[in-house]
């Protein structure tokens, strides 16, 4: 493959594995360097939400995911008297189809990601090679590598360099700009165990997934995924004032903390370690050919289970942009939209995670009692920028299945009750054909257009927004919607204008100028 690549990635955790898979499946030449020769064998993250389950399925992992994940249960928060403070129904059907959350054993998921990525002929991995310096010029990005075992050095080059190199990211430090500290910090002892044969959580009296907000000892009890026929569980205990890390990490102390729940006859210790939970957000995500993703860009408390999910969202957002740029269909101005989209979303998740963290991380009895008396709520506004529903469709060619499987990758343009292709002029059609967009007429259970909405969920989604047309981006987020065919024409022109303004290369001189406030790019 030579020494110059389309994309170089530093680090090979789940975010980098996902990005490598996404790009290599498109035929782009990807190299990944990682200082460790073998994968870290212990779990960290324990869940992927419905959106990332959908994303990974769309990238060839639909068959393997059911074998490495388990459906999320109710996520219950209790006070010291085991009265319910709040509940999040992770088992409910999501907009993506399937439960809101699936629990995973991270090493098993990473193994599956690595196998899928390594099967791509355009991916090359350099394991045991540490990145010591990154530089860039007008043409390429460069990384200086040192083989950990021998000290041998070499340089690789690429069109773009992505730092998936964790919280101490070399790429982020090179980009500069520092990190915003949102002020949350707490030490927690994380304990992963295997249930012994025949032992169930019901026998142990455990909540399926819960936070025990007891000021005497704030505690997390959640699933930790499956590997074959083995079931993992996780306990987390907050380090209280006066407790040392060394004290908490003693195995005798671990069993003392677990004693109210389970003992050596019930569970097998896998690992126990104190982790420092923080809330950090990088202030710059890109410098020309350098970009960052995952923990390199953001670190958040784990109380929403969104750390790894957010990193994989970064990868998915980058993947479709890089694909258009690397294939020559857009210039790199399209990459300018990556940070403005992802950073606010991650910022909100960090704030929400901190909010939930403050509910449980209360070691004071009076403050916990005040918390128990309070309640809060919120609402999500509808419109552009929402995640689109994942639905079952029936096509006139006989296909019956999920919408993503029918459409494949790329932009999706839907018209309800009218053909979205027939409404466009030649210039617009040329533009959409250039980016590989699918233009589909969709109707109710009986297909009058190309596809029918079998389960009615897409129809319900359009009705909720007052739309009869919608444009969905390659990352499944809604670009915008329109109430009628006339408004749709303006929306379609807006998308082309947005893409051109952000670097799409068109041979046609008919570039729309119109822009309104119904879209999100």
């Amino acid at each position: 493959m030579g020494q110059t690549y389309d994309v170089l990635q530093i680090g090979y955790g789940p975010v980098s594995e996902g990005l490598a898979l996404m790009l290599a499946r498109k035929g782009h030449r990807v190299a990944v360097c990682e200082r460790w020769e073998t994968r870290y064998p212990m779990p960290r993250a324990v869940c992927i939400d419905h959106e990332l389950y959908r994303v990974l399925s769309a990238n060839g992992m639909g068959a393997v995911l059911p074998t490495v994940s388990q459906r999320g249960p109710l996520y219950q928060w209790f006070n010291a008297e085991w009265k319910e403070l709040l509940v999040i129904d992770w088992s409910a059907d999501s907009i993506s189809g399937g439960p809101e959350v699936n629990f995973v054993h991270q090493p098993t998921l990473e193994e599956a990601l690595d196998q899928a990525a390594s099967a791509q002929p355009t991916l090359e991995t350099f394991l045991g090679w540490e990145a010591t310096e990154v530089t860039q010029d007008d043409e390429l990005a460069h990384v200086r590598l040192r083989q950990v075992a021998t000290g041998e050095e070499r340089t690789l080059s690429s069109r773009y360099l992505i730092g998936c190199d964790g919280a101490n990211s070399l790429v982020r430090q090179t980009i500069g700009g520092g990190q915003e500290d949102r002020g949350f910090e707490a030490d927690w002892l994380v304990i992963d165990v295997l249930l012994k044969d025949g032992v169930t959580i019901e026998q142990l009296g455990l909540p399926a997934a819960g936070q025990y907000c007891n000021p005497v000892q704030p505690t997390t009890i959640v699933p930790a995924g499956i590997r074959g026929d083995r079931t993992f569980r996780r306990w987390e205990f907050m380090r209280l004032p006066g407790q040392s890390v060394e004290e908490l990490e003693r195995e005798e102390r671990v069993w003392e903390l677990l004693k109210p729940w389970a003992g050596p006859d019930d569970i097998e210790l896998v690992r126990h370690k104190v982790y420092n939970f923080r809330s950090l957000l990088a202030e710059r995500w890109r410098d020309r050919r350098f970009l960052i993703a995952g923990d390199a860009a953001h670190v958040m408390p784990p109380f929403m289970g969104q750390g790894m999910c957010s990193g994989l969202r970064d990868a998915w957002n980058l993947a479709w942009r890089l694909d258009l740029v690397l294939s020559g269909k857009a210039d790199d101005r399209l990459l300018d939209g990556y940070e403005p989209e992802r950073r606010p979303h991650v910022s909100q998740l960090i704030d929400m995670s901190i909010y939930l963290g403050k509910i449980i991380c209360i070691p004071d009895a009076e403050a916990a009692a005040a918390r128990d008396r309070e309640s809060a709520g919120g609402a999500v506004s509808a419109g552009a920028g929402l995640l689109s529903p994942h639905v079952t469709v029936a096509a006139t060619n006989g296909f019956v299945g999920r919408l993503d499987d029918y459409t494949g990758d790329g932009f999706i343009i839907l018209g309800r009750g009218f053909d979205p292709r027939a409404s466009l002029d030649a210039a617009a059609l040329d533009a959409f054909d250039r980016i590989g967009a699918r233009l589909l007429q969709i109707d109710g259970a009986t297909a009058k257009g190309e596809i029918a909405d079998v389960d009615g969920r897409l129809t319900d989604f359009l009705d909720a927004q007052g739309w009869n047309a919608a444009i969905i981006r390659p990352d499944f987020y809604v670009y915008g919607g329109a109430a009628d065919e006339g408004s749709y024409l303006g929306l379609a022109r807006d998308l082309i204008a947005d893409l051109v303004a952000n670097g799409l290369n068109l041979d046609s001189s008919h570039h729309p100028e119109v822009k309104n406030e119904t879209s999100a790019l």
Side-chain angles (χ1 to χ4, degrees):
M1 292 177 59
Q3 299 301 305
T4 299
Y5 303 88
D6 293 321
V7 174
L8 252 168
Q9 298 172 203
I10 300 178
Y12 200 43
V15 173
S16 185
E17 289 174 333
L19 181 59
L21 173 62
M22 295 165 190
L23 292 173
R25 288 183 80 244
K26 293 289 191 178
H28 302 300
R29 295 176 301 129
V30 180
V32 180
C33 56
E34 166 60 59
R35 73 180 306 271
W36 302 104
E37 290 188 11
T38 57
R39 183 180 303 106
Y40 183 67
M42 299 301 176
R44 285 87 71 209
V46 293
C47 64
I48 54 173
D49 62 28
H50 61 94
E51 180 184 349
L52 277 308
Y53 195 100
R54 176 181 179 182
V55 165
L56 295 177
S57 295
N59 281 277
M61 297 190 66
V64 71
L65 282 176
T67 69
V68 300
S69 65
Q70 56 187 144
R71 187 184 184 101
L74 285 177
Y75 185 31
Q76 297 169 288
W77 293 57
F78 303 98
N79 68 8
E81 288 74 42
W82 289 100
K83 294 180 180 178
E84 193 175 87
L85 293 174
L86 63 89
V87 61
I88 303 171
D89 189 0
W90 276 346
S91 68
D93 284 339
S94 68
I95 194 171
S96 302
E100 289 282 344
V101 168
N102 285 271
F103 279 85
V104 297
H105 177 244
Q106 184 174 336
T108 302
L109 176 65
E110 286 192 48
E111 183 180 330
L113 279 167
D114 177 48
Q115 289 176 354
S118 297
Q120 308 304 315
T122 58
L123 173 66
E124 189 170 356
T125 56
F126 295 84
L127 304 182
W129 290 82
E130 180 180 12
T132 58
E133 182 185 29
V134 292
T135 58
Q136 61 179 317
D137 52 42
D138 290 342
E139 300 297 326
L140 294 169
H142 313 280
V143 58
R144 187 70 174 170
L145 298 178
R146 180 182 64 86
Q147 191 172 39
V148 175
T150 66
E152 177 189 348
E153 294 189 338
R154 68 191 305 175
T155 298
L156 302 179
S157 301
S158 61
R159 292 177 63 183
Y160 294 97
L161 175 69
I162 316 299
C164 303
D165 46 344
N168 298 315
S169 169
L170 170 66
V171 180
R172 185 190 67 245
Q173 294 171 25
T174 305
I175 289 174
Q179 291 175 289
E180 178 187 352
D181 190 335
R182 292 292 175 83
F184 182 93
E185 185 170 6
D187 287 342
W188 282 69
L189 172 66
V190 177
I191 305 170
D192 286 295
V193 308
L194 274 167
L195 296 185
K196 292 195 171 181
D197 290 342
V199 176
T200 66
I201 64 170
E202 291 79 14
Q203 290 172 340
L204 299 177
L206 300 177
Q211 297 286 351
Y212 183 37
C213 305
N214 183 351
V216 174
Q217 185 65 73
T219 304
T220 300
I221 308 170
V222 292
I226 56 174
R227 185 177 182 89
D229 60 355
R230 304 302 304 275
T231 300
F232 291 84
R233 295 286 301 182
R234 171 171 291 180
W235 275 264
E236 298 173 359
F237 298 94
M238 191 178 93
R239 184 171 72 87
L240 299 173
Q243 290 180 327
S244 69
V245 171
E246 294 75 18
E247 176 191 352
L248 277 180
E249 289 186 338
R250 288 190 304 109
E251 186 167 328
E252 296 84 356
R253 180 57 176 154
V254 169
W255 283 114
E256 288 176 8
L257 290 168
L258 291 174
K259 187 175 181 180
W261 318 98
D265 293 337
D266 309 305
I267 58 176
E268 172 188 336
L269 283 183
V270 175
R271 67 89 181 257
H272 54 279
K273 181 176 176 57
V274 171
Y275 282 86
N276 182 241
F277 297 161
R278 299 197 65 188
S279 53
L280 302 171
L281 186 58
E283 294 176 344
R284 292 187 66 196
W285 292 35
R286 182 188 178 203
D287 176 20
R288 294 172 292 163
R289 298 185 180 277
F290 294 165
L291 300 105
I292 54 175
D295 285 355
H298 44 78
V299 177
M300 68 185 71
F303 305 110
M304 287 189 65
Q306 283 296 309
M308 181 173 68
C309 292
S310 293
L312 287 168
R313 282 190 189 87
D314 298 342
W316 191 222
N317 191 296
L318 270 178
W320 72 267
R321 295 174 186 275
L322 282 167
D323 177 50
L324 289 175
V325 173
L326 293 169
S327 62
K329 297 175 181 178
D331 63 48
D332 69 358
R333 287 176 294 166
L334 191 62
L335 298 175
D336 291 340
Y338 166 61
E339 179 184 340
E341 283 194 351
R342 291 297 306 132
R343 195 177 190 277
H345 186 260
V346 170
S347 177
Q348 183 182 40
L349 286 174
I350 290 175
D351 288 345
M352 293 172 69
S353 297
I354 291 173
Y355 170 78
L356 291 177
K358 288 179 177 178
I359 293 176
I360 187 173
C361 297
I362 299 178
D364 178 79
E366 290 186 8
R371 171 206 61 202
D372 295 351
R373 293 190 294 267
E374 295 177 355
S375 62
V380 177
S381 60
L386 290 179
L387 183 66
S388 66
H390 194 197
V391 300
T392 301
V393 298
T396 52
N397 65 2
F399 173 91
V400 177
R402 306 308 292 270
L403 178 63
D404 295 348
D405 294 332
Y406 182 72
T407 59
D409 297 331
F411 282 88
I412 308 301
I413 301 172
L414 299 174
R416 179 167 57 167
F418 68 93
D419 181 357
R421 177 171 287 274
S423 303
L424 300 177
D425 60 25
L429 288 173
D430 287 345
F432 286 143
D433 288 342
R434 179 166 178 75
I435 63 173
R438 294 291 304 272
L439 289 86
L440 305 172
Q441 180 175 342
I442 187 166
D443 289 282
T446 302
K448 300 176 182 176
E450 182 175 343
I451 56 176
D453 180 10
V454 172
D455 52 24
R457 294 172 60 248
L458 182 55
T459 298
D460 290 345
F461 179 81
L462 294 175
D463 286 344
Q465 322 309 323
W467 293 345
N468 282 298
I471 297 178
I472 301 169
R473 307 185 334 169
D475 54 10
F476 306 139
Y477 283 93
V478 175
Y479 169 79
D484 52 41
E485 189 170 355
S487 301
Y488 154 71
L489 295 177
L491 182 68
R493 291 171 59 85
D494 286 349
L495 174 61
I496 298 170
D498 260 342
L499 288 171
V500 169
N502 285 277
L504 181 68
N505 302 318
L506 294 178
D507 295 329
S508 170
S509 61
H510 303 291
H511 294 168
E513 302 291 339
V514 181
K515 186 73 178 72
N516 63 36
E517 296 180 357
T518 64
S519 59
L521 187 59

